[in-house]
Coordinates of all heavy atoms in Angstrom, one line a residue:
M1 N 16.0 43.7 44.2 CA 17.0 44.7 44.3 C 18.3 44.3 43.5 O 18.8 45.1 42.8 CB 17.5 44.9 45.8 CG 16.4 45.6 46.6 SD 16.9 45.8 48.4 CE 18.3 46.8 48.2
I2 N 18.6 43.0 43.5 CA 19.7 42.5 42.7 C 19.5 42.8 41.2 O 20.3 43.3 40.5 CB 20.0 41.0 43.0 CG1 20.5 40.8 44.4 CG2 20.9 40.5 42.0 CD1 20.6 39.4 44.8
A3 N 18.3 42.4 40.7 CA 18.0 42.6 39.3 C 18.1 44.0 38.9 O 18.6 44.3 37.8 CB 16.6 42.0 39.0
G4 N 17.6 44.9 39.7 CA 17.7 46.4 39.4 C 19.1 46.8 39.3 O 19.4 47.6 38.4
R5 N 19.9 46.4 40.2 CA 21.3 46.8 40.1 C 22.0 46.2 38.9 O 22.8 46.9 38.2 CB 22.1 46.4 41.4 CG 21.7 47.2 42.6 CD 22.6 46.8 43.7 NE 22.2 47.5 44.9 CZ 22.8 47.4 46.1 NH1 23.9 46.6 46.1 NH2 22.4 48.0 47.2
V6 N 21.7 45.0 38.5 CA 22.4 44.3 37.4 C 22.0 45.1 36.1 O 22.8 45.3 35.2 CB 22.0 42.9 37.3 CG1 22.4 42.2 36.0 CG2 22.5 42.1 38.5
R7 N 20.7 45.4 36.0 CA 20.2 46.1 34.8 C 21.0 47.4 34.5 O 21.1 47.9 33.4 CB 18.7 46.3 34.9 CG 17.9 45.1 34.6 CD 16.4 45.4 34.5 NE 15.7 44.2 34.5 CZ 15.0 43.7 35.5 NH1 15.0 44.3 36.7 NH2 14.3 42.6 35.4
K8 N 21.5 48.1 35.6 CA 22.1 49.4 35.5 C 23.6 49.3 35.1 O 24.3 50.2 34.8 CB 22.0 50.1 36.8 CG 20.6 50.6 37.1 CD 20.6 51.3 38.4 CE 19.1 51.7 38.8 NZ 19.0 52.4 40.1
C9 N 24.2 48.0 35.1 CA 25.6 47.8 34.8 C 25.8 48.0 33.3 O 25.1 47.6 32.4 CB 26.0 46.4 35.2 SG 26.0 46.2 37.0
A10 N 27.0 48.7 33.0 CA 27.4 48.9 31.6 C 27.6 47.5 31.0 O 28.2 46.6 31.6 CB 28.6 49.7 31.6
G11 N 27.1 47.3 29.8 CA 27.3 46.1 29.1 C 26.2 45.1 29.3 O 26.3 44.0 28.7
V12 N 25.3 45.4 30.1 CA 24.1 44.5 30.4 C 22.9 45.0 29.6 O 22.4 46.1 29.8 CB 23.8 44.4 31.9 CG1 22.5 43.5 32.1 CG2 25.0 43.8 32.6
A13 N 22.4 44.2 28.7 CA 21.2 44.5 27.9 C 20.0 44.1 28.6 O 18.9 44.6 28.4 CB 21.3 43.9 26.5
G14 N 20.1 43.0 29.5 CA 18.9 42.5 30.2 C 19.3 41.2 30.9 O 20.5 40.8 31.0
L15 N 18.3 40.6 31.5 CA 18.5 39.4 32.3 C 17.9 38.3 31.5 O 17.0 38.5 30.6 CB 17.8 39.5 33.6 CG 18.4 40.5 34.6 CD1 17.5 40.9 35.7 CD2 19.7 40.0 35.1
S16 N 18.4 37.1 31.7 CA 17.9 35.9 31.0 C 17.5 34.8 32.0 O 18.2 34.6 33.1 CB 19.1 35.3 30.2 OG 18.7 34.1 29.6
G17 N 16.5 34.1 31.7 CA 16.1 33.0 32.6 C 16.8 31.7 32.2 O 16.6 30.7 32.9
G18 N 17.6 31.7 31.2 CA 18.3 30.5 30.7 C 17.4 29.7 29.8 O 16.3 30.1 29.5
P19 N 17.9 28.7 29.2 CA 17.2 27.9 28.1 C 15.9 27.3 28.6 O 14.9 27.2 27.8 CB 18.1 26.9 27.6 CG 19.2 26.8 28.7 CD 19.3 28.1 29.4
F20 N 15.8 27.0 29.9 CA 14.5 26.4 30.4 C 13.9 27.3 31.4 O 13.0 26.9 32.2 CB 14.8 25.0 31.0 CG 15.4 24.1 29.9 CD1 16.8 23.8 30.0 CD2 14.6 23.6 28.9 CE1 17.3 22.9 29.0 CE2 15.2 22.8 28.0 CZ 16.5 22.4 28.0
G21 N 14.3 28.5 31.6 CA 13.7 29.5 32.5 C 14.0 29.1 34.0 O 13.3 29.5 34.9
T22 N 15.1 28.4 34.2 CA 15.4 27.9 35.5 C 16.2 29.0 36.4 O 16.3 28.8 37.6 CB 16.3 26.7 35.5 OG1 17.5 26.9 34.7 CG2 15.5 25.5 34.8
V23 N 16.7 30.0 35.8 CA 17.4 31.0 36.6 C 16.3 32.1 36.9 O 16.0 33.0 36.2 CB 18.5 31.7 35.8 CG1 19.2 32.7 36.7 CG2 19.5 30.6 35.3
A24 N 15.8 31.9 38.1 CA 14.7 32.8 38.6 C 14.5 32.7 40.1 O 14.9 31.7 40.7 CB 13.4 32.4 37.9
T25 N 14.0 33.7 40.7 CA 13.6 33.7 42.1 C 12.1 33.8 42.2 O 11.5 34.6 41.5 CB 14.3 34.9 42.8 OG1 15.7 34.8 42.7 CG2 13.9 35.0 44.2
Y26 N 11.6 32.9 43.0 CA 10.1 32.9 43.1 C 9.7 33.4 44.5 O 10.2 33.0 45.5 CB 9.7 31.4 43.0 CG 9.9 30.8 41.6 CD1 11.1 30.2 41.4 CD2 9.0 30.9 40.6 CE1 11.5 29.7 40.1 CE2 9.3 30.4 39.3 CZ 10.5 29.8 39.1 OH 10.8 29.3 37.9
L27 N 8.8 34.4 44.4 CA 8.2 34.9 45.6 C 6.7 34.8 45.5 O 6.2 34.5 44.4 CB 8.6 36.4 45.8 CG 10.1 36.7 46.0 CD1 10.4 38.2 46.0 CD2 10.6 36.0 47.3
P28 N 5.9 35.0 46.5 CA 4.5 34.9 46.4 C 3.9 35.8 45.3 O 4.2 37.0 45.3 CB 3.9 35.3 47.8 CG 5.1 35.0 48.7 CD 6.3 35.2 47.9
N29 N 3.3 35.2 44.3 CA 2.8 35.9 43.1 C 3.8 36.7 42.3 O 3.4 37.6 41.5 CB 1.7 36.9 43.6 CG 0.6 36.2 44.4 OD1 0.1 35.1 43.9 ND2 0.1 36.8 45.5
E30 N 5.1 36.4 42.4 CA 6.1 37.1 41.6 C 7.2 36.1 41.2 O 7.5 35.2 42.0 CB 6.7 38.2 42.4 CG 5.8 39.4 42.6 CD 6.6 40.6 43.2 OE1 7.2 41.3 42.5 OE2 6.4 40.8 44.4
R31 N 7.7 36.3 40.0 CA 8.9 35.6 39.6 C 9.8 36.5 39.0 O 9.5 37.3 38.0 CB 8.4 34.6 38.5 CG 9.5 33.7 37.9 CD 8.8 32.7 37.0 NE 9.8 31.9 36.4 CZ 10.2 31.9 35.1 NH1 9.6 32.8 34.3 NH2 11.1 31.2 34.6
F32 N 11.1 36.5 39.5 CA 12.1 37.4 39.0 C 13.1 36.6 38.1 O 13.9 35.8 38.6 CB 12.9 38.1 40.2 CG 12.0 39.0 40.9 CD1 11.4 38.6 42.1 CD2 11.8 40.3 40.5 CE1 10.6 39.4 42.9 CE2 11.0 41.2 41.3 CZ 10.4 40.7 42.4
V33 N 13.0 36.8 36.8 CA 13.8 36.0 35.9 C 15.2 36.6 35.8 O 15.4 37.8 35.8 CB 13.2 36.1 34.5 CG1 14.1 35.4 33.5 CG2 11.8 35.4 34.5
G34 N 16.2 35.7 35.8 CA 17.6 36.1 35.6 C 18.4 36.1 36.9 O 19.6 36.3 36.9
V35 N 17.8 36.0 38.0 CA 18.5 35.9 39.3 C 18.0 34.8 40.1 O 16.7 34.6 40.3 CB 18.3 37.3 40.1 CG1 18.9 37.2 41.5 CG2 18.7 38.5 39.3
S36 N 18.8 34.0 40.6 CA 18.5 32.8 41.5 C 19.4 32.9 42.7 O 20.6 33.0 42.7 CB 18.8 31.5 40.8 OG 18.5 30.4 41.7
V37 N 18.7 33.0 43.9 CA 19.4 33.1 45.2 C 19.0 31.9 46.1 O 17.9 31.6 46.2 CB 19.0 34.4 45.8 CG1 19.7 34.6 47.2 CG2 19.3 35.6 45.0
D38 N 20.0 31.3 46.6 CA 19.8 30.3 47.6 C 20.8 30.5 48.7 O 21.6 31.4 48.7 CB 19.7 28.9 47.1 CG 21.0 28.4 46.5 OD1 22.1 28.9 46.9 OD2 21.0 27.5 45.6
G39 N 20.8 29.6 49.7 CA 21.7 29.7 50.8 C 23.2 29.5 50.5 O 24.1 29.9 51.2
R40 N 23.5 29.0 49.3 CA 24.9 28.7 48.9 C 25.5 29.8 47.9 O 26.7 30.0 47.9 CB 25.0 27.3 48.2 CG 24.6 26.2 49.2 CD 24.8 24.9 48.5 NE 24.2 24.9 47.1 CZ 23.2 24.2 46.7 NH1 22.6 23.4 47.5 NH2 22.8 24.3 45.5
A41 N 24.7 30.3 47.0 CA 25.2 31.2 46.0 C 24.1 32.1 45.4 O 22.9 31.8 45.5 CB 25.8 30.4 44.9
V42 N 24.6 33.1 44.7 CA 23.7 33.9 43.9 C 24.1 33.7 42.4 O 25.3 33.8 42.0 CB 23.9 35.4 44.2 CG1 23.1 36.3 43.3 CG2 23.6 35.7 45.6
E43 N 23.1 33.3 41.6 CA 23.4 33.1 40.2 C 22.6 34.1 39.4 O 21.4 34.4 39.6 CB 22.9 31.7 39.7 CG 23.2 31.4 38.3 CD 22.8 30.0 37.8 OE1 22.3 29.2 38.7 OE2 23.0 29.7 36.7
I44 N 23.4 34.8 38.5 CA 22.8 35.8 37.6 C 23.1 35.5 36.2 O 24.3 35.2 35.8 CB 23.4 37.2 38.0 CG1 23.2 37.5 39.4 CG2 22.9 38.3 37.1 CD1 23.9 38.7 40.0
A45 N 22.1 35.5 35.4 CA 22.2 35.2 33.9 C 21.8 36.5 33.2 O 20.8 37.0 33.3 CB 21.3 34.0 33.5
I46 N 22.8 36.9 32.3 CA 22.6 38.2 31.6 C 22.6 38.0 30.1 O 23.1 37.0 29.6 CB 23.6 39.2 32.0 CG1 25.1 38.8 31.6 CG2 23.6 39.5 33.5 CD1 26.1 39.9 31.7
V47 N 22.0 39.0 29.5 CA 22.2 39.2 28.0 C 23.1 40.4 27.9 O 22.8 41.5 28.5 CB 20.9 39.5 27.3 CG1 21.1 39.8 25.9 CG2 19.9 38.3 27.5
A48 N 24.3 40.2 27.3 CA 25.3 41.3 27.3 C 25.4 42.0 25.9 O 24.9 41.5 24.9 CB 26.7 40.7 27.6
T49 N 26.0 43.1 25.9 CA 26.3 43.8 24.7 C 27.8 43.7 24.5 O 28.5 43.2 25.4 CB 26.0 45.3 24.8 OG1 26.8 46.0 25.7 CG2 24.5 45.5 25.2
L50 N 28.3 44.1 23.3 CA 29.8 44.0 23.1 C 30.4 45.4 23.3 O 31.4 45.7 22.8 CB 30.0 43.5 21.7 CG 29.7 42.1 21.5 CD1 29.9 41.6 20.0 CD2 30.5 41.2 22.4
A51 N 29.7 46.3 24.1 CA 30.2 47.6 24.4 C 31.5 47.6 25.2 O 32.2 48.5 25.2 CB 29.1 48.4 25.1
R52 N 31.8 46.4 25.8 CA 33.0 46.3 26.6 C 33.3 44.8 26.7 O 32.5 44.0 26.4 CB 32.8 46.9 28.0 CG 31.8 46.2 28.8 CD 31.3 46.9 30.0 NE 32.4 47.1 31.0 CZ 32.2 47.4 32.2 NH1 31.0 47.7 32.7 NH2 33.2 47.6 33.0
P53 N 34.5 44.4 27.1 CA 34.9 43.0 27.2 C 33.9 42.3 28.2 O 33.6 42.9 29.3 CB 36.3 43.0 27.7 CG 36.9 44.3 27.2 CD 35.7 45.3 27.3
L54 N 33.5 41.1 27.9 CA 32.6 40.4 28.7 C 33.1 40.1 30.1 O 32.3 40.3 31.1 CB 32.2 39.0 28.1 CG 31.5 39.2 26.7 CD1 31.2 37.8 26.1 CD2 30.2 39.9 26.9
P55 N 34.4 39.8 30.4 CA 34.8 39.7 31.8 C 34.7 41.0 32.6 O 34.4 40.9 33.8 CB 36.3 39.3 31.6 CG 36.4 38.7 30.3 CD 35.4 39.4 29.4
E56 N 34.8 42.1 31.9 CA 34.6 43.4 32.7 C 33.2 43.6 33.1 O 32.9 44.1 34.2 CB 35.1 44.6 31.8 CG 36.6 44.7 31.6 CD 37.0 45.9 30.8 OE1 36.2 46.8 30.6 OE2 38.1 45.9 30.3
T57 N 32.3 43.2 32.2 CA 30.8 43.3 32.5 C 30.5 42.4 33.6 O 29.8 42.8 34.6 CB 30.0 42.9 31.2 OG1 30.3 43.8 30.2 CG2 28.5 43.0 31.5
A58 N 31.0 41.2 33.6 CA 30.7 40.2 34.7 C 31.3 40.7 36.0 O 30.6 40.6 37.0 CB 31.3 38.8 34.3
D59 N 32.5 41.3 36.0 CA 33.1 41.8 37.2 C 32.3 43.0 37.8 O 32.1 43.1 39.0 CB 34.5 42.3 36.9 CG 35.5 41.1 36.8 OD1 35.2 40.0 37.2 OD2 36.6 41.4 36.3
E60 N 31.8 43.9 36.9 CA 30.9 45.0 37.4 C 29.7 44.5 38.0 O 29.2 45.0 39.0 CB 30.6 45.9 36.2 CG 29.8 47.1 36.7 CD 29.5 48.2 35.7 OE1 30.2 48.2 34.6 OE2 28.6 49.0 35.9
V61 N 29.0 43.5 37.4 CA 27.8 42.9 37.9 C 28.1 42.3 39.4 O 27.4 42.6 40.3 CB 27.3 41.8 37.0 CG1 26.2 41.0 37.7 CG2 26.7 42.4 35.8
R62 N 29.2 41.6 39.5 CA 29.6 41.0 40.8 C 29.7 42.2 41.9 O 29.2 42.1 43.0 CB 30.9 40.2 40.7 CG 30.7 38.9 40.1 CD 31.9 38.1 40.2 NE 31.9 37.0 39.2 CZ 32.4 37.0 38.0 NH1 33.0 38.1 37.6 NH2 32.2 36.0 37.2
R63 N 30.4 43.2 41.5 CA 30.7 44.3 42.4 C 29.4 45.0 42.8 O 29.1 45.4 43.9 CB 31.7 45.3 41.8 CG 33.1 44.9 41.8 CD 34.0 46.0 41.5 NE 33.8 46.6 40.2 CZ 34.2 46.2 39.0 NH1 35.0 45.1 39.0 NH2 33.9 46.9 37.9
A64 N 28.5 45.1 41.8 CA 27.2 45.9 42.0 C 26.3 45.2 43.0 O 25.5 45.8 43.7 CB 26.5 46.0 40.7
V65 N 26.4 43.9 43.1 CA 25.5 43.1 44.0 C 26.2 42.5 45.2 O 25.6 41.8 46.0 CB 24.7 42.1 43.3 CG1 23.9 42.7 42.1 CG2 25.6 40.9 42.8
A66 N 27.5 42.7 45.4 CA 28.3 42.1 46.4 C 27.7 42.3 47.8 O 27.6 41.4 48.6 CB 29.7 42.5 46.4
D67 N 27.3 43.5 48.1 CA 26.8 43.8 49.5 C 25.4 43.1 49.7 O 25.1 42.7 50.8 CB 26.6 45.3 49.7 CG 25.6 46.0 48.8 OD1 25.6 45.6 47.6 OD2 24.9 46.9 49.3
L68 N 24.7 42.8 48.6 CA 23.4 42.1 48.8 C 23.6 40.6 48.9 O 22.8 39.9 49.4 CB 22.5 42.4 47.6 CG 22.1 43.9 47.4 CD1 21.3 44.0 46.2 CD2 21.3 44.4 48.6
A69 N 24.7 40.1 48.3 CA 25.0 38.7 48.4 C 25.5 38.1 49.7 O 25.5 37.0 50.0 CB 26.0 38.3 47.2
G70 N 26.0 39.0 50.5 CA 26.6 38.6 51.8 C 27.9 37.7 51.5 O 28.7 38.1 50.7
D71 N 27.9 36.6 52.2 CA 29.1 35.7 52.1 C 29.0 34.8 50.9 O 29.9 34.0 50.6 CB 29.3 34.9 53.3 CG 29.7 35.8 54.5 OD1 30.2 36.9 54.3 OD2 29.4 35.4 55.7
R72 N 27.8 34.8 50.2 CA 27.7 33.9 49.1 C 28.4 34.4 47.8 O 28.5 35.5 47.5 CB 26.2 33.8 48.7 CG 25.3 33.1 49.8 CD 23.9 33.3 49.5 NE 23.5 34.7 49.7 CZ 22.3 35.1 50.0 NH1 21.3 34.2 50.1 NH2 22.0 36.4 50.2
P73 N 29.0 33.4 47.1 CA 29.6 33.8 45.8 C 28.6 34.2 44.8 O 27.4 33.8 44.8 CB 30.3 32.5 45.4 CG 29.6 31.4 46.0 CD 29.1 32.0 47.3
V74 N 29.0 35.1 43.9 CA 28.1 35.6 42.9 C 28.6 35.0 41.5 O 29.7 35.4 41.1 CB 28.0 37.2 42.8 CG1 27.2 37.6 41.7 CG2 27.5 37.7 44.1
N75 N 27.8 34.2 40.9 CA 28.1 33.6 39.7 C 27.4 34.3 38.6 O 26.2 34.4 38.6 CB 27.8 32.1 39.7 CG 28.5 31.4 40.8 OD1 29.6 31.5 41.0 ND2 27.7 30.5 41.5
V76 N 28.1 34.8 37.6 CA 27.5 35.5 36.5 C 27.8 34.7 35.2 O 28.9 34.4 35.0 CB 28.1 37.0 36.4 CG1 27.5 37.7 35.2 CG2 28.0 37.8 37.6
R77 N 26.7 34.5 34.5 CA 26.9 33.8 33.2 C 26.3 34.6 32.1 O 25.2 35.3 32.3 CB 26.3 32.4 33.3 CG 24.8 32.3 33.2 CD 24.4 30.8 33.3 NE 23.1 30.7 32.7 CZ 22.3 29.8 33.0 NH1 22.6 28.8 33.8 NH2 21.1 29.7 32.4
V78 N 26.9 34.6 30.9 CA 26.4 35.3 29.8 C 25.6 34.3 28.9 O 26.2 33.4 28.4 CB 27.5 36.0 29.0 CG1 27.0 36.6 27.7 CG2 28.3 36.9 29.8
D79 N 24.3 34.5 28.9 CA 23.4 33.6 28.1 C 23.3 33.9 26.6 O 23.0 33.1 25.8 CB 22.0 33.5 28.7 CG 22.0 32.5 29.9 OD1 23.0 31.8 30.2 OD2 20.9 32.4 30.5
D80 N 23.4 35.3 26.4 CA 23.3 35.7 25.0 C 24.0 37.0 24.9 O 24.4 37.7 25.8 CB 21.8 35.9 24.7 CG 21.5 35.9 23.2 OD1 22.5 35.8 22.4 OD2 20.3 36.0 22.8
I81 N 24.3 37.4 23.6 CA 25.0 38.7 23.3 C 24.2 39.4 22.2 O 23.8 38.8 21.2 CB 26.4 38.4 22.8 CG1 27.3 37.7 23.9 CG2 27.1 39.7 22.4 CD1 28.6 37.3 23.5
I82 N 24.0 40.6 22.5 CA 23.3 41.5 21.5 C 24.3 42.3 20.8 O 25.1 43.0 21.5 CB 22.2 42.4 22.2 CG1 21.1 41.5 22.7 CG2 21.7 43.4 21.2 CD1 20.0 42.3 23.4
V83 N 24.3 42.3 19.5 CA 25.3 43.1 18.7 C 24.5 44.4 18.3 O 23.5 44.3 17.6 CB 25.8 42.3 17.5 CG1 26.8 43.2 16.7 CG2 26.5 41.1 18.0
E84 N 25.0 45.5 18.7 CA 24.3 46.8 18.4 C 24.9 47.4 17.2 O 26.1 47.1 16.9 CB 24.5 47.7 19.6 CG 23.8 47.2 20.8 CD 24.0 48.1 22.1 OE1 25.0 48.8 22.1 OE2 23.2 48.0 23.0
G85 N 24.2 48.2 16.5 CA 24.7 48.9 15.3 C 24.2 48.2 14.0 O 23.5 47.2 14.0
P86 N 24.7 48.7 12.9 CA 24.3 48.2 11.6 C 24.7 46.9 11.3 O 25.6 46.3 11.7 CB 24.8 49.3 10.6 CG 25.9 50.1 11.3 CD 25.6 49.8 12.8

Protein backbone atom coordinates (compact mmCIF):
# COMPACT_ATOMS: atom_id res chain seq x y z
CA MET A 1 0.00 0.00 0.00
CA ILE A 2 2.85 2.38 0.82
CA ALA A 3 4.54 1.83 -2.54
CA GLY A 4 1.29 2.46 -4.40
CA ARG A 5 0.73 5.76 -2.66
CA VAL A 6 4.32 6.89 -3.20
CA ARG A 7 4.13 6.18 -6.95
CA LYS A 8 1.11 8.52 -7.21
CA CYS A 9 2.96 11.50 -5.70
CA ALA A 10 3.89 14.38 -8.00
CA GLY A 11 7.60 14.43 -8.67
CA VAL A 12 8.08 10.68 -8.12
CA ALA A 13 9.21 8.75 -11.20
CA GLY A 14 9.56 5.47 -9.32
CA LEU A 15 11.02 3.63 -6.36
CA SER A 16 14.65 2.63 -5.84
CA GLY A 17 16.18 -0.27 -3.96
CA GLY A 18 19.33 1.70 -3.35
CA PRO A 19 22.82 0.86 -4.60
CA PHE A 20 22.75 -2.64 -3.11
CA GLY A 21 19.02 -3.28 -3.20
CA THR A 22 18.76 -2.99 0.57
CA VAL A 23 15.69 -0.75 0.63
CA ALA A 24 13.02 -3.41 0.33
CA THR A 25 10.28 -5.19 2.23
CA TYR A 26 10.26 -8.95 2.08
CA LEU A 27 7.07 -10.96 2.33
CA PRO A 28 6.53 -14.63 1.51
CA ASN A 29 7.27 -14.98 -2.22
CA GLU A 30 7.31 -11.20 -2.69
CA ARG A 31 9.84 -8.37 -2.50
CA PHE A 32 8.76 -4.73 -2.59
CA VAL A 33 11.68 -2.57 -3.69
CA GLY A 34 11.92 1.01 -2.48
CA VAL A 35 10.13 0.64 0.84
CA SER A 36 11.58 -0.75 4.05
CA VAL A 37 9.41 -0.97 7.16
CA ASP A 38 10.45 -2.08 10.61
CA GLY A 39 9.37 -1.35 14.16
CA ARG A 40 11.37 1.88 14.32
CA ALA A 41 10.87 3.66 10.98
CA VAL A 42 9.64 3.60 7.40
CA GLU A 43 12.34 4.19 4.79
CA ILE A 44 11.37 5.14 1.27
CA ALA A 45 13.88 5.53 -1.57
CA ILE A 46 12.62 7.30 -4.68
CA VAL A 47 13.68 8.28 -8.15
CA ALA A 48 12.49 11.87 -8.55
CA THR A 49 11.80 14.24 -11.41
CA LEU A 50 12.66 17.92 -11.44
CA ALA A 51 9.01 18.85 -11.97
CA ARG A 52 9.04 20.44 -8.51
CA PRO A 53 11.55 21.13 -5.73
CA LEU A 54 12.84 17.91 -4.15
CA PRO A 55 11.89 18.91 -0.58
CA GLU A 56 8.27 19.39 -1.73
CA THR A 57 8.27 15.93 -3.31
CA ALA A 58 9.65 14.37 -0.11
CA ASP A 59 7.07 16.20 2.01
CA GLU A 60 4.23 14.96 -0.21
CA VAL A 61 5.52 11.38 0.06
CA ARG A 62 5.59 11.67 3.87
CA ARG A 63 2.05 13.03 3.97
CA ALA A 64 0.79 10.35 1.57
CA VAL A 65 1.91 7.49 3.83
CA ALA A 66 1.64 9.08 7.28
CA ASP A 67 -1.50 7.18 8.25
CA LEU A 68 0.11 3.86 7.24
CA ALA A 69 3.32 4.60 9.16
CA GLY A 70 1.58 5.07 12.49
CA ASP A 71 3.96 6.54 15.07
CA ARG A 72 7.06 5.66 13.05
CA PRO A 73 9.00 8.42 11.31
CA VAL A 74 8.98 8.34 7.51
CA ASN A 75 12.44 8.86 6.01
CA VAL A 76 12.46 9.74 2.33
CA ARG A 77 15.66 9.71 0.34
CA VAL A 78 16.21 10.62 -3.31
CA ASP A 79 18.44 8.00 -4.90
CA ASP A 80 18.29 9.34 -8.44
CA ILE A 81 16.82 12.14 -10.52
CA ILE A 82 15.34 11.81 -13.97
CA VAL A 83 15.57 14.89 -16.16
CA GLU A 84 12.62 15.02 -18.53
CA GLY A 85 12.55 16.79 -21.84
CA PRO A 86 15.07 17.38 -24.64
